[in-house]
Amino acid sequence: KHPTLEDENSKMARWFRSEPMEYISMIVNEDAAHDCLADLGKLGVVQFTDLNPELTPFQRRYVSYVKRCDELERKLRFFGAECEKFNLEIDSAGDVEGFIESSTLSQESGAQILETLEVELEQYENQLKELNNYSEKLTIEYNEKVELQEVLEKARRFFMTDAPRLAVSQITQGRDAKRENLLGEVNVGRDMDMRFSSITGVVSTEEKSRFERMIFRATRGNCFVRFAPIKQPITDPETGELIEKSVFIVFYKSVSIESKLKKICDAFMAHRYTLPDMDDSASVDKMMTENAQELVDSRTVLLKNQDTRYRLCQMLAKSTEKWTWVVLREKAIYHSLNMFKADVAGMLRGEGWVLTCSMGDAKDAVNRAHANMDLTNSSLVESVPKPWPLPPTHFTTNKFTYGYQEFVNTYGIPRYREANPALFTAATFPFLFGVMYGDIGHGSFLFAGGLYLLWNEKANDKAKLGELTEGLHGGRYMIAMMGFFAIYAGFVYNDMFALGLNLFKSRYYFVGQDYNEVEEGTIATAIADYGDPETVYPFGLDPIWHVSSNELLFFNSFKMKLSVILGIFQMFAGTCLKGANAIYFGEKYDFFFEFIPMVCFASSLFVYMVVLIIMKWGINWNSRMASATCFDPADADVWGTTIYDGEWVECAADNDDANGYCTPTGISCTGYDDTATLCPLDFGGTGDGCQPPNLITTLINIALAPGDVDEPMYNGQAGIQNVLLAIAFISVPVLLLAKPYFLSKDMEAEAAAHGDEEDGEGGEHGEGFGEIVIHQAIETIEFVLGMVSNTASYLRLWALSLAHSQLATVFWEKAMLTTLNMNFFAAFLGFAVFAGTTFGVLLMMDVLECFLHALRLHWVEFQNKFFKADGIRFAPYSFKQIIDENAAKS
Amino acid sequence: MTTKVQMVHGGMTDFNIYHGYPEALVRGMRCSFLSDADYHHLTQCESLDDIKLNLAESDYSAAVADSDNLTPSGFQGVAVQKMVTEFTYLRTQCVEPLSTFLDFITYEYMIENIMLLLKGALSGRNINELLAQCHPLGMFKASTMRSIPTFEPNARGFADLYQTVLVDTPVGPYFAMFLQESSEKGGGAVRNVIEEVEIEIIKSSLIKYWIEDFYQFCMKLGGDTAEIMGELLKVRADTNAINITLNSFGTSLNEPAMRISDRKRLYPSVGHLYPAGTAMLADVSNEEELGRVLELFPAYSGIWNIHSTGNDKSIDDAFYERDVQQLELAFEGQMHFGVFYAYVKLKEQEIRNLVWITECVLQQQKDEIEKFVPVFSFHAPWRGGKKK
């Protein structure tokens, strides 16, 4: 089925005003409530109101179910954490929509679903916990074996190699009366057989130095400590982390030190191991081989345990997400049911907002659920009689409109059914961005970027993205549009990396340009006469402007005027939307006393300015100026040519002062006449219509010198401007006073109607009126001053466009042009600089800057004309949303 | 504790440059306090399960979600853990001298932990059990914590404890000062300190040194910090002095000879009561006399009256209430460090409230349940409100 034009129109209209809402009450049978809600959650079109706001969570009806769901969630988080320990990814449970659709196929009731899940998860949790406990025990055992092995090895090496050497060296030193430490002190060379007690054990390497220091302090240096690191890090049985450990051996003499050392070992959680007599190498060897054998055994057991745990987790990883979804769904159902009220036994009553267009679906869902349980006719879904509470705002968006709607929502949710600025933003935002960013080259990059995002749309939709990429993905259509309009504006400005493109051949030429011999100061000549279609460059600006010396003057004048025209258009459109809202909501005061004066004010001064600008562009000033210029009729080079587009009339020398020169309209010149006398138009002022006016002066003089137009453009300009000024002046007090006046009259009438019973209300009435006046004064000031300052604000379109093109020019000239003229290597470097700055400054910073300024123009200049932005967002009870949000959270 | 501070920290000129971010963070955490509505809901609970459900609606939701330990101490554990997480986060975000200031806050908990361990060792309790009871803000490394109770509870043992273990810790200097003072006093040091009272005396001394040190530090910082923290610490010192006196009645400390030699030493040398008040406190021998001394200090006579007349409220509650009022005020001020101290202390109060409520719920003492001091409550007496 192809969408007809009407469908498309209605879609647009649906985006213009938010979806109509219906406040419904639904009465459902308690037994079918779960299934009803399961179906409604699938639809996602209802937003329930909490009918028991006074109840705390635990006083609610279905709190035990919510608690059970919480418990299940805790178990699932536990599974997730366990899987993470094995670096197992939680498998995706597929499509969320698919899950939601399939979920009702099961014939289980709500309680059954929870029960089966509880039993299942409980079993797995116990299994996992048991395995973990077992694993902890095994790890401890295994660690002991490993550590003992290490201790034995290290100690044997120490006793075989280090100890004798140390003893000897200490002896020699001891003879020199340096009696610092234990070995030296006691040995003094005569008693090699003197035995020391020793403690051996394992301590974590991180604590090694503190351990050593503590021993030194506690024994006051009366001991001898040696460490040897264990190469293989040892697993901590509780956390599963790998810890570096070291074997230590401490020699000491006295028993009191021994108890101290033991305490320190306990404090540092160092495991102590008793060594056999190290001199009896046979027993040491035996112990080592025995231990090694045990080590192998316990390792096998440990690995087996690990394998079992791994396989269990693997299995859990497959289903965890699906279970999570089920639990989330059940929890959402019970949360919603908690908002219902049980007025009648066995029945539950809920209230909430539903999209009017989905009302039927919601009804069907409820009825179907009841029919399935043979409880037909026991449910009721109907509209609540008005008055309703304030309805929430909802827009049905698609991939394209979503970004723009979010863009507006960030500022404020539109009021229910008010004109949605997003509809207009979708077109004007990228366009205004383009006006500022206009450059074919840079725009193409941006466009390509946007297209790349669109190309990857499907993949990105599914993938979990970072915050930045997520934002880019959300704005993919916007970016592509921005790029497109930047290219478009670039063609209009004829700017490609700040260079003109000679696509259609310039309509001007310099003398000698074919031989590269154009001299400084040469004036470009048009290839055909004025008015000839040949002189018109087919699209955009003539590239010749990029090489002319008045390039900046011309571009500035053009872009400035363009910005003002676009700005006034946009603001006027905003004002009209205010009128549309007033009509839609039937607020006639708003329409007549706000919208109409606003339009009058805006048109009489600002739209008029646009008219003047366009009019000035449209007039052939060359011809008009020529008509007030004296020519020699005998000079055939000039006389009769196309500089004046009318009939050339030779003058009769009837005047004494005549010097033989004539204006093209046949007025004879004296050599000292001014334009006003020569000009045939007689519009008044010194220019008389033959002099191009300075628009700024003209506009300022509308207000400063009413009735006085120095350089008019059309006949009767002064009179028309006076009328416009008068309209503007009148509309301000109307805007300020009319609405409060009529409102106060209404209030009085209402008070009179209510009559005598409330005499004491006078004070409140006064307050209300004061508020209205203040509100209206603010509105008026904001609009009147706003029109001026906002128009000026739109000049940022020009300013940013200028900044963009000038930056591009600087990069091109300084980095590229200068180095191109040097040598290959310099050009190589130059290009790197050029590309780098172009990317960093123009493609990154300038895009952001233009984006922000376009954003501001919409949020402030456009939206303040009509947008109330005080709506409440529709938050439907929807499984999809809940599951998506949960996914985003984790 | 020597920290060179050139600038006045607590002035408007440069406060935000250095400490703006942590201050903003701590202000954001104001929202995490339980509201009046939360307290109201909590007091309605019938079981600890309900409490957990209610906390899940508050800022504690993440903290209680995975805890299956439904006991008052279990709740306390998660709440303290949450506070410590937040505090640690703040600590990692700050620069000198704020970082030292925050460390100072933790010293109190370190002293308490050490004393807890020593006391536990006296009664021969399991070290792991003791460690679980320690406040996480005052934790040293596990090995240090474990070695503390291994020393003999006598003068020599304490000297050893200091030389071997505590010398490495920030509270070591306080311990050194205590040892120094006891050895100077001569006689007292020889006596075996196996009574728990003696541990309390050590704790009081250490806290006294801590308050004095902290006070000096705050004074050195200058600006609003000195002003606000000075007031808070003075009141803290006074509270300690009064409590020491009150608790000494009926113990050996109250013997005439000990009053001057031992008890007076425990009074901090800062505070509104110092020196005139503490000198008088040194002579009191019973509650009546103590009341007469406090009569002279309007700020404390009110609190004392609560203690002496009403049996509804304990003096601790009165002190808590006054503390909460002052701390809330300190929290509202800007450009000073007091807000961090206030945050920790107010959270501590909140946790106390939570424990109280859970205990009451557990023991079904419904009529006692309202006896807590809510934080940032609109019903607080100083906000003109009344408890419903």
Side-chain angles (χ1 to χ4, degrees), chain A residues 56-59 63 67 70 74 77 129 206-207 210 213-214 217-218 220 260 263 266-269, chain B residues 41 44-45 49-50 53-54 57 65-66 68 141-144 146-147 150 160 163-165 167-168:
Chain A
T56 56
F58 64 88
Q59 288 167 331
V63 62
K67 272 191 209 161
D70 279 341
R74 190 191 60 74
R77 277 199 298 271
K129 273 189 173 159
E206 201 193 324
E207 302 258 41
R210 298 184 58 247
R213 201 159 55 219
M214 186 83 93
R217 279 197 207 125
R220 290 161 212 260
K260 273 186 189 168
K263 275 182 189 165
D266 289 345
F268 279 82
M269 288 189 286
Chain B
H41 288 164
Q44 307 279 304
C45 289
D49 230 13
D50 294 345
L53 199 68
N54 260 310
E57 303 280 308
D66 278 343
D68 40 11
K141 271 192 173 301
S143 49
T144 312
R146 281 167 184 279
S147 17
T150 61
D160 275 353
Q163 277 159 14
T164 348
V165 183
V167 68
D168 274 344

Side-chain angles (χ1 to χ4, degrees), chain B residues 164-193:
Chain B
T164 348
V165 183
L166 294 182
V167 68
D168 274 344
T169 65
V171 293
Y174 306 141
F175 213 80
M177 280 153 88
F178 166 74
L179 289 174
Q180 171 93 16
E181 203 170 320
S182 0
S183 71
E184 273 168 14
K185 207 169 57 116
V190 191
R191 202 159 31 95
N192 261 3
V193 268

Side-chain angles (χ1 to χ4, degrees), chain A residues 402-413:
Chain A
Y402 168 79
Y404 294 102
Q405 190 59 51
E406 280 309 304
F407 189 93
V408 167
N409 287 352
T410 312
Y411 179 85
I413 308 291

Side-chain angles (χ1 to χ4, degrees), chain A residues 531-757:
Chain A
D532 192 322
E534 276 288 290
T535 57
V536 181
Y537 194 72
F539 187 84
L541 294 172
D542 197 306
I544 198 86
W545 289 109
H546 278 285
V547 293
S548 66
S549 59
N550 60 349
E551 174 194 359
L552 263 187
L553 282 179
F554 173 76
F555 272 105
N556 284 349
S557 157
F558 166 71
K559 286 178 181 172
M560 254 192 262
K561 286 171 180 156
L562 196 68
S563 326
V564 169
I565 293 170
L566 294 175
I568 287 171
F569 263 118
Q570 196 178 22
M571 289 192 291
F572 199 79
T575 315
C576 290
L577 285 178
K578 189 186 181 72
N581 274 345
I583 293 174
Y584 183 83
F585 290 114
E587 287 157 347
K588 57 178 197 290
Y589 292 154
D590 276 4
F591 185 80
F592 288 110
F593 306 126
E594 275 191 352
F595 169 63
I596 298 284
M598 279 176 180
V599 166
C600 291
F601 183 82
S603 330
S604 58
L605 294 180
F606 294 90
V607 177
Y608 179 64
M609 169 160 73
V610 173
V611 170
L612 284 188
I613 290 171
I614 293 172
M615 189 183 270
K616 187 180 168 189
W617 275 340
I619 289 170
N620 181 359
W621 290 105
N622 277 342
S623 164
R624 277 209 191 179
M625 269 154 58
S627 75
T629 315
C630 298
F631 298 102
D632 184 1
D635 185 357
D637 277 351
V638 189
W639 195 261
T641 58
T642 50
I643 46 168
Y644 173 62
D645 56 4
E647 192 92 358
W648 291 75
V649 182
E650 217 168 305
C651 55
D654 48 2
N655 198 320
D656 292 342
D657 295 334
N659 59 3
Y661 280 66
C662 291
T663 65
T665 49
I667 298 172
S668 49
C669 305
T670 57
Y672 40 81
D673 358 56
D674 51 12
T675 322
T677 37
L678 295 178
C679 183
L681 294 169
D682 287 326
F683 293 162
T686 53
D688 214 17
C690 290
Q691 189 77 31
N694 183 335
L695 278 183
I696 298 174
T697 327
T698 312
L699 288 166
I700 291 174
N701 279 343
I702 294 180
L704 287 190
D708 185 9
V709 185
D710 204 29
E711 292 164 335
M713 283 196 284
Y714 59 92
N715 207 358
Q717 188 171 352
I720 287 180
Q721 285 182 1
N722 281 344
V723 172
L724 291 176
L725 187 64
I727 294 176
F729 264 111
I730 293 166
S731 53
V732 175
V734 172
L735 183 57
L736 179 64
L737 301 171
K739 191 179 159 193
Y741 172 73
F742 284 103
L743 278 181
S744 79
K745 263 183 88 172
D746 280 2
M747 277 159 68
E748 264 168 34
E750 209 174 304
H754 279 287
D756 322 307
E757 70 244 47

Side-chain angles (χ1 to χ4, degrees), chain A residues 198-255:
Chain A
S198 66
I199 288 184
T200 42
V202 176
V203 72
S204 108
T205 309
E206 201 193 324
E207 302 258 41
K208 193 176 98 180
S209 59
R210 298 184 58 247
F211 182 65
E212 198 174 356
R213 201 159 55 219
M214 186 83 93
I215 290 179
F216 184 82
R217 279 197 207 125
T219 62
R220 290 161 212 260
N222 287 318
C223 67
F224 179 77
V225 193
R226 272 289 170 276
F227 290 96
I230 300 179
K231 284 208 186 71
Q232 208 73 29
I234 289 173
T235 330
D236 184 274
E238 271 173 50
T239 59
E241 278 168 34
L242 293 176
I243 298 173
E244 300 270 349
K245 289 199 167 184
S246 292
V247 173
F248 65 87
I249 177 159
V250 188
F251 294 95
Y252 57 92
K253 196 71 189 124
S254 78
V255 188

Side-chain angles (χ1 to χ4, degrees), chain B residues 30 68 96 98 117 147 193 222 264 361-362 372:
Chain B
R30 191 193 195 286
D68 40 11
E96 282 298 344
L98 177 56
L117 290 173
S147 17
V193 268
K264 195 177 173 206
V361 168
L362 193 66
F372 57 87

